[in-house]
Amino acid sequence: MQQLELVQVPKIDDFYSMNYEKGEIHLRGVKGRAFVLPTQAWAALRVLLSKSFKDDAVPFMLQMGYAVGISFVMQVKKLEGKPGKLIKILLSIAKSSGWGQFSVEGDMDNGTELTVIAENCPFCHNESSPQLPVCYFLVGFVNGLIDYLYGKRHKANETEYRGMGQGACVVTIREIPVEIEEKL
Ligand SMILES: [Zn+2]
């Protein structure tokens, strides 16, 4: 006989509390305030940045993501554990923030070669012309997160893009060897 599994499905209240009068949303786990940004607003922001700043929009969005990636690690660095364990916590935060279902493959102990698979990526959710990767914020985010988590510099690239019909946005990360880093 098949056993009935009682799996507790997480609810939004498990992660956030809201003070409606004050218009505040609070994160339960890391005790901070948060706000909601619709993916449509994100798409509008991305399009406008590209129109206004042309080629400069890409490094700008990468840098935005990089800063946010670092801030995420700062939140969990207070918790004890090896990078592999902290990555798992970060993936859970990403999921509970509506960032999609992230998974990481590769050497999580050293972080030399990693692949981040972002299923259901919100950063290209409203992309109307899925020709080229547009998830620069995601790439910067992953880059900042991994750099800060391992204390070394890495190069992150979007190697697969959902907009091209590949199912998930995939970011590959490679550690930059010290001798190359010195020349940068
Ligand atoms: Zn994407």
Side-chain angles (χ1 to χ4, degrees):
M1 204 175 97
Q2 210 178 1
Q3 216 163 13
L4 190 69
E5 255 187 67
L6 288 170
V7 181
Q8 196 90 41
V9 179
K11 292 189 288 294
I12 197 132
D13 287 2
D14 298 340
F15 304 101
Y16 301 99
S17 62
M18 184 166 73
N19 184 326
Y20 182 72
E21 289 305 314
K22 282 182 156 180
E24 280 182 12
I25 297 173
H26 288 269
L27 297 151
R28 287 193 191 279
V30 289
K31 293 196 172 56
R33 194 176 157 186
F35 66 91
V36 173
L37 189 70
T39 54
Q40 218 151 18
W42 181 260
L45 173 75
R46 198 182 60 232
V47 169
L48 198 74
L49 282 174
S50 297
K51 273 188 189 156
S52 304
F53 297 107
K54 306 272 183 304
D55 291 345
D56 289 339
V58 173
F60 182 82
M61 286 188 268
L62 287 170
Q63 202 59 35
M64 274 169 67
Y66 196 90
V68 175
I70 289 175
S71 82
F72 265 55
V73 181
M74 280 172 151
Q75 287 177 350
V76 297
K77 273 253 166 147
K78 293 170 236 155
L79 309 168
E80 292 290 307
K82 287 185 173 176
K85 187 187 161 195
L86 296 180
I87 282 185
K88 288 197 179 108
I89 296 168
L90 288 161
L91 298 183
S92 166
I93 294 175
K95 227 174 172 181
S96 66
S97 303
W99 286 34
Q101 192 188 355
F102 284 30
S103 55
V104 180
E105 290 173 1
D107 179 9
M108 284 208 263
D109 285 334
N110 302 301
T112 48
E113 288 192 10
L114 293 167
T115 305
V116 175
I117 300 131
E119 300 260 7
N120 204 10
C121 168
F123 302 105
C124 54
H125 186 242
N126 291 90
E127 178 52 37
S128 54
S129 57
Q131 303 300 321
L132 291 165
V134 293
C135 314
Y136 304 112
F137 181 88
L138 174 71
V139 175
F141 173 77
V142 167
N143 209 153
L145 192 140
I146 299 298
D147 277 8
Y148 199 67
L149 195 57
Y150 292 93
K152 287 174 182 163
R153 288 187 66 190
H154 298 77
K155 176 85 189 115
N157 284 305
E158 186 165 20
T159 48
E160 285 180 37
Y161 169 54
R162 187 173 62 157
M164 294 172 181
Q166 285 160 312
C169 298
V170 178
V171 180
T172 53
I173 303 120
R174 297 287 175 269
E175 190 183 313
I176 301 172
V178 179
E179 56 273 20
I180 296 173
E181 197 186 327
E182 279 166 359
K183 288 180 201 155
L184 292 175

